[in-house]
Each structure stands twice: as C-alpha cells, then as structure tokens.
Amino acid sequence: VIRRILRRAVRFGYVFLHFRGPFICELVKVLTDQMGKVFPELKSQQKLIETVVQEEENSFLRTLDQGIQKFQQYVNEPLPSLPLKGRDKGGVIAGTFAFELYDTYGFPIDLTELMAREIGWTVDMEGFRKGMEKQKERSRQAASLDTSDWIVLKKDTGITKFVGYDSLNTETYITRYRKVTGKEGERYQIVLRATPFFAESGGQVGDKGWVKKGEETIEIMDTVRENEQIIHIATRIFSDPDGKVTAEADGSKRLLTANNHTATHLLHAALRNILGIHVEQKGSLVDETRLRFDFTHYSKMTQEQIEQVEKLVNARIRENIPQLEERAVPIDRAREMGAIALFGEKYGNEVRVIRFGEDFSTELCGGTHVPATGQIGLFRIVSEGAIAAGVRRIEAITGSRAEAYMYGKEQLLDQVSEALKNPKDLMHGILHLQEENQQLKKAAGEYGKLKLAQIKEELKNRIETVGGIKFLGTKVNLDMDTMKGVAFELRDEIPGLFLVLASELEGKVNLVVAISDSLVKEKNLHAGQLIRELAKEIQGGGGGQPHIATAGGKDPAGIPALLEKAKKMVC
C-alpha cells in the first residue's frame, strides 16, 4: 500500500511538475524536522529512509517513463488491434493494452485507471481481468500434474514423525503413496510413518536418500512438505509396498547442507553487526553446494564491508562455537530470548530455537545445523548484488568448495605471474604491461594514420575526369570500415568527386559509393540508389544515404564490370 501511494506521488510529480528525478526523498528532512520529536525513529533512521525512498523512486521512474510513453502513444495513435470508442467524448482503454502495460512494462493498473480518468477515459477492467486469468492459466498448465488417488496402506496414522535431527536412518513403513505424472515423467509421492528426511522449508532444500526393503532399494530424489505432511519423491514404488522398510537420508548431502545453513545464520548475525540492525532476512536458499541470502539494505556493500563480514563469520567458525538447540520453546519465551524469525515462515505456539554463542546468533529455525561451527571450515562470499529496491543478495560457499574457490584464485594468479615472466612485484608487472599496451596502441594508431594518408595519396593519383566529373573507381585491398573512412575523407577533401571502391576479402565483395554534396544537388545523384544497381554485378545488394552507401556481394569476378558500369553512370 505504501509503495502504491509513493508511486502515485512520483507519477504526479513526473507528469504535472515535470520532475525527472527523485524528489520525495528530499522531503524526508522536512518530515523529520516537523515530526521527529513525536517519532524519534525518523531522526535515528533518516539516512536509511531517504535511501530506501530514493531507490524506490529511481526504480519506478524507469518503469513510469516507458509506461507513460506507451499510454500516450495508445491514446493519440491507437493501433487497429486495440479498438477505441468515442474518441471525441472520451474513450475506452482496451483491457488487452492495460494488461500489456502491466505484464510487459510493470505499469500498475491503478495508475492506468488514474491516467485514463484524467482525460475522461475509462479502462476495460473486464478485459484486463481476462488477461490476468489467461496468464494464471498458462502458469497452472506449465506446473500441472496428473495426480492419481492416494493408495492407503495404514489408516489413521497421523502426521509423519520427523526423527532427522537425531538420526539419518530409521525403521518405518509406508502409510500411503500415489503416482503423479508431469512434464518430468512419472513420479511417486510416498508418505512414511517416521522419517529422517528433512522436507524443504525455511530456505533449506529437501533431503535425498534411499528407502530399502529386502533386496529392493528406492531412491528418494527430493523431500517436500504438503499440507503439513512430509512427502518423499521417488521414480518407482516397491513391488510390495506393505510392511517394514528402512529409510536412510544421504549423510554427505545433509552434512554439506548443514554447513551452509549454519553459515547462513552466522552471515545474518555478521551483517547486522557490520551494516546495522536494519538488516532483515527477506529470503534464503540453502543446499549442499552453496547458500543464498536476501536481506534489506539500502546500498551496495563496499569491498571493505564484504571483507569485514567474511572475517567476522570465519572468526566465529574458528571459535568452534557449539550449537545450542532448544525444542518446543513457547513462542513468547523465544522472543524474550531475542530470537530472530525467518522470513516467510509460519510458527506455532512452540518453536525450535538455534543459538551459536550467547550473544551472537539466535534464530527460530526448523532446519538442520552443525554440532559446532568449526565443522564449516571456511566461509567465502562469491557475489553481492541488488535483486529489488532496498533488497540485496549474497551468495556464498563453505568448506571444501570454499577451499577449491581459493585454490582456483591462487592458480589463476600463478598463471598470470608465469605469463608475465614471474615478476617480483606482480601488480607492478601488470601495470607495466598495461602501460606498454597503451603505448603500442598509440603507436599503432599513429601508424594507421600514416598508412591511411598514404592510401589516400595513392587513390588521389587514380582520379580521372569523366564527363566533367572527378571520378575514382578502383579495387582496393581494404576492409569495409577502412574503405568507408577513406571514402568519407576523400569526398570531403575533393569537391565534385564520384567515388566507387571495391574490395575482395575471403571470397566476398565489399563495396562503397561516395558522392560529393555538390553532385548530389546539381546532378540529382543518390548513392543508395546507384549502389543497388552496381551490386547486381557481384550478385549482392545494399543501400544507404544520398552521399554515401555500402553493399556486399558474393561474386568477385563481377568487380571489373561493376567499375565499368559506375564509369558509364558518370557519363
């Protein structure tokens, strides 16, 4: 709601006050001066508020500019495919167009309605809603599954018991299963009475592993949660699914995932410590290969801040802080403990609290973690960037992957050093190489100018007078860009020049025609039209402006005829 109000104000300033940059952020100081005594947060968080508002303004101004242009174009020059009615007394914005503004350009429908009302028009909202429904239907079809009925083996067994905090395997039995068919083929959804498999939640991916019965083994590809029930995804089911089975989660995957999940908690705490308590989690992804953490912050992190966060997390890892876990904690007591809730999670009356250090990291979390931080080994941030206004994303790696990343960096530095003949000071060697490169570029540029001047002089000597016009038609050994450059310079230097240059490179023909402005006016010549006729001799085509044009062809044998034809055009 706040964003919609803000965007209306931005649009008003853009259209009626002709503001083309952020301006509402400048009003924060006025608001702080007037209301700061009543709301002290305005003073303490003034910089943050200004930055967040400015980011939102900048983001919407980009959208607004495109949307307004499309709207004005629609109103003034409607397309046949977008019918209007009653133009002189107010018209109707077609729902298809309103949906295009919303879906393609991110233009809010309420602003489309507002702009329409201001000029006495209306919006076909029914058509807009149909567009929305079609979009939703496309999404539903893309994600649709053909789901069979549940085959129930054990009745009234209740919710699956999760034992994965304490064990990676357990004896259990299948209570129900069903077959589902989707774009990935046939899959089976299996429910167990007890399971060590962690179901995807809180940003942590689901476990993989195996369910065994006698000589048969079923591979569990993923574990998800549906209607508070833990669902195991497999490609097949046992020949006889009834009876006891053994469920075993993949221990190596769980270990690596736990490393990354605990590192996410340490990262969250470090960000709040380094950047400020305004940092809040806005999403996360944790699997066995990496961690991804989205958080509120108003600007790009500096390299110094990234290094400070990394150092703080790694310091906590080296301290080997043990995990302090408390299950079934009343939610009010958890809040008193200062526990931070995960974004997007729903919590009951009793929660699980995970702490690393008495005063460093305390969060409500249902995920799996390391017994002590030392198990993580090493933490390294590999990227930091914006994903939305006021929201940034960090991707990081831990343990052996972080080691491999560091070794890769070292190997690259070794290769660079070796390529530079192993200088004592690598940075000095790189700077020296850059300086040499600039000098060579400068020398090459000067040589190019001399070579171009030489080519021009040679071409000037080939100019002949034909029918009172200075004519130059010849074959050269130059690329297209150089030919165009020479043609431009010669037509500017030599009054009344008609120039045709042709070159053959790798079996193909490049052609340039340039005509002095005086000839274009006096003789009514047009290079673009003439070159199309000339290009027929080389089985090609082209075009251009009256004073210069280019073409290409595939028959070099036609160059002599082309040049002779050009000479006759002058006559």
Side-chain angles (χ1 to χ4, degrees):
V1 173
I2 294 173
R3 174 174 281 131
R4 291 175 69 176
I5 294 171
L6 175 63
R7 289 184 167 186
R8 284 200 177 194
V10 171
R11 181 256 162 187
F12 187 92
Y14 184 95
V15 174
F16 299 105
L17 303 179
H18 306 293
F19 292 152
R20 292 298 180 263
F23 67 95
I24 299 176
C25 57
E26 298 177 10
L27 303 177
V28 175
K29 184 179 183 305
V30 179
L31 180 66
T32 302
D33 292 341
Q34 294 179 351
M35 305 294 291
K37 291 183 179 179
V38 182
F39 300 102
E41 295 87 353
L42 289 173
K43 287 185 177 180
S44 62
Q45 299 289 334
Q46 181 177 334
K47 177 63 178 176
L48 172 63
I49 297 169
E50 289 175 344
T51 305
V52 171
V53 172
Q54 184 177 14
E55 287 287 330
E56 180 62 31
E57 288 187 89
N58 281 325
S59 174
F60 185 58
L61 280 168
R62 291 190 290 269
T63 299
L64 186 64
D65 184 57
Q66 284 185 310
I68 288 178
Q69 286 184 24
K70 292 290 181 182
F71 183 89
Q72 295 295 344
Q73 180 183 357
Y74 178 90
V75 171
N76 296 324
E77 301 178 15
L79 299 174
S81 59
L82 303 175
L84 300 176
K85 296 183 286 186
R87 164 175 295 284
D88 53 339
K89 297 181 181 179
V92 178
I93 303 293
T96 52
F97 177 70
F99 180 72
E100 179 189 351
L101 281 181
Y102 169 81
D103 189 48
T104 305
Y105 301 99
F107 202 74
I109 183 61
D110 58 309
L111 277 188
T112 303
E113 288 185 288
L114 179 63
M115 291 167 62
R117 285 198 300 270
E118 288 173 350
I119 59 173
W121 290 43
T122 59
V123 178
D124 174 18
M125 289 303 297
E126 183 61 30
F128 175 81
R129 282 189 284 269
K130 286 181 180 178
M132 290 289 287
E133 282 302 316
K134 288 180 180 179
Q135 183 192 59
K136 291 178 181 178
E137 181 60 28
R138 287 193 296 270
S139 298
R140 281 194 292 265
Q141 289 178 356
S144 64
L145 293 173
D146 181 11
T147 306
S148 302
D149 291 335
W150 285 106
I151 297 177
V152 180
L153 302 178
K154 305 288 183 181
K155 294 183 178 180
D156 301 325
T157 56
I159 301 297
T160 299
K161 181 181 179 182
F162 177 64
V163 298
Y165 291 139
D166 304 309
S167 177
L168 289 175
N169 60 77
T170 188
E171 277 200 349
T172 183
Y173 51 84
I174 298 173
T175 62
R176 61 179 62 191
Y177 69 93
R178 66 181 177 184
K179 184 171 73 173
V180 296
T181 305
K183 60 181 181 180
E184 295 180 346
E186 288 186 354
R187 297 287 186 269
Y188 284 86
Q189 296 183 347
I190 301 170
V191 178
L192 302 175
R193 180 65 191 95
T195 182
F197 290 85
F198 179 85
E200 178 181 347
S201 63
Q204 180 176 328
V205 299
D207 276 338
K208 297 180 180 180
W210 308 270
V211 178
K212 302 176 181 180
K213 183 183 182 188
E215 298 298 319
E216 287 187 87
T217 299
I218 292 175
E219 182 179 359
I220 302 300
M221 305 168 61
D222 195 8
T223 311
V224 298
R225 191 177 297 274
E226 182 179 302
N227 297 325
E228 299 303 316
Q229 188 61 274
I230 296 175
I231 307 292
H232 307 77
I233 310 297
T235 56
R236 54 183 292 268
I237 192 69
F238 292 115
S239 55
D240 178 12
D242 202 5
K244 285 187 177 182
V245 299
T246 300
E248 180 183 348
D250 185 334
S252 60
K253 180 180 183 295
R254 170 72 75 83
L255 176 68
L256 296 173
T257 302
N259 287 346
N260 287 333
H261 200 153
T262 298
T264 304
H265 284 218
L266 301 182
L267 170 62
H268 191 185
L271 286 169
R272 289 172 65 87
N273 187 291
I274 301 299
L275 302 181
I277 59 173
H278 64 275
V279 170
E280 292 182 0
Q281 181 174 337
K282 288 297 180 183
S284 69
L285 173 65
V286 178
D287 61 22
E288 70 274 24
T289 63
R290 60 171 177 151
L291 65 93
R292 190 180 74 201
F293 187 76
D294 301 339
F295 61 100
T296 54
H297 188 52
Y298 47 80
S299 64
K300 178 180 175 63
M301 290 178 66
T302 65
Q303 186 58 38
E304 181 183 6
Q305 289 172 331
I306 291 174
E307 290 177 3
Q308 287 176 333
V309 169
E310 276 189 341
K311 288 178 180 178
L312 182 52
V313 172
N314 281 311
R316 294 296 181 265
I317 290 173
R318 288 192 298 271
E319 290 174 15
N320 199 26
I321 303 170
Q323 176 200 146
L324 300 175
E325 176 197 23
E326 293 187 54
R327 303 178 192 175
V329 179
I331 185 69
D332 291 337
R333 178 170 170 266
R335 291 195 179 102
E336 291 174 2
M337 295 165 61
I340 298 175
L342 290 178
F343 173 77
E345 285 294 286
K346 297 178 181 179
Y347 298 99
N349 294 327
E350 294 184 337
V351 294
R352 179 171 177 255
V353 178
I354 298 294
R355 286 187 293 168
F356 291 96
E358 291 293 336
D359 56 355
F360 187 67
S361 172
T362 304
E363 296 193 19
L364 307 184
C365 183
T368 60
H369 290 275
V370 298
T373 59
Q375 179 182 299
I376 299 170
L378 180 65
F379 170 84
R380 186 67 195 265
I381 294 173
V382 295
S383 69
E384 188 272 346
I387 60 169
V391 180
R392 304 196 66 80
R393 170 172 291 172
I394 280 178
E395 293 199 15
I397 50 181
T398 63
S400 58
R401 289 182 67 87
E403 281 184 3
Y405 179 84
M406 299 290 287
Y407 289 144
K409 291 286 188 181
E410 286 186 8
Q411 185 178 10
L412 178 60
L413 282 175
D414 289 342
Q415 291 171 348
V416 171
S417 180
E418 186 177 344
L420 294 175
K421 309 299 184 185
N422 297 308
K424 292 181 179 180
D425 186 337
L426 179 58
M427 194 66 216
H428 181 267
I430 292 173
L431 293 174
H432 180 67
L433 181 65
Q434 289 178 328
E435 184 180 347
E436 283 186 346
N437 187 46
Q438 290 298 323
Q439 291 174 351
L440 289 172
K441 281 184 177 180
K442 184 178 179 181
E446 292 173 353
Y447 174 78
K449 290 177 182 178
L450 291 173
K451 185 66 176 176
L452 187 62
Q454 183 182 353
I455 293 171
K456 284 168 51 181
E457 289 304 314
E458 291 177 0
L459 291 176
K460 285 178 182 179
N461 294 329
R462 302 183 196 180
I463 295 175
E464 55 185 312
T465 301
V466 179
I469 294 175
K470 293 177 181 177
F471 174 74
L472 173 60
T474 186
K475 182 179 178 181
V476 293
N477 187 26
L478 301 172
D479 60 64
M480 177 62 89
D481 289 339
T482 305
M483 278 203 305
K484 286 174 65 178
V486 169
F488 267 115
E489 293 191 18
L490 287 176
R491 74 173 290 279
D492 290 340
E493 292 177 13
I494 303 173
L497 179 66
F498 187 106
L499 174 148
V500 179
L501 297 179
S503 71
E504 178 188 351
L505 290 174
E506 298 179 354
K508 295 183 179 180
V509 183
N510 289 323
L511 181 64
V512 175
V513 173
I515 306 174
S516 296
D517 291 339
S518 58
L519 291 181
V520 171
K521 293 178 181 178
E522 295 169 10
K523 303 291 185 179
N524 196 30
L525 298 176
H526 193 292
Q529 296 173 358
L530 295 176
I531 205 169
R532 279 193 287 271
E533 185 64 28
L534 294 173
K536 293 178 181 178
E537 301 296 329
I538 54 173
Q539 298 183 31
Q545 303 173 17
H547 63 281
I548 191 163
T550 60
K554 56 184 179 181
D555 184 13
I559 292 178
L562 178 155
L563 296 175
E564 188 63 31
K565 192 174 188 178
K567 195 171 186 178
K568 290 179 181 179
M569 287 178 173
V570 177
C571 297

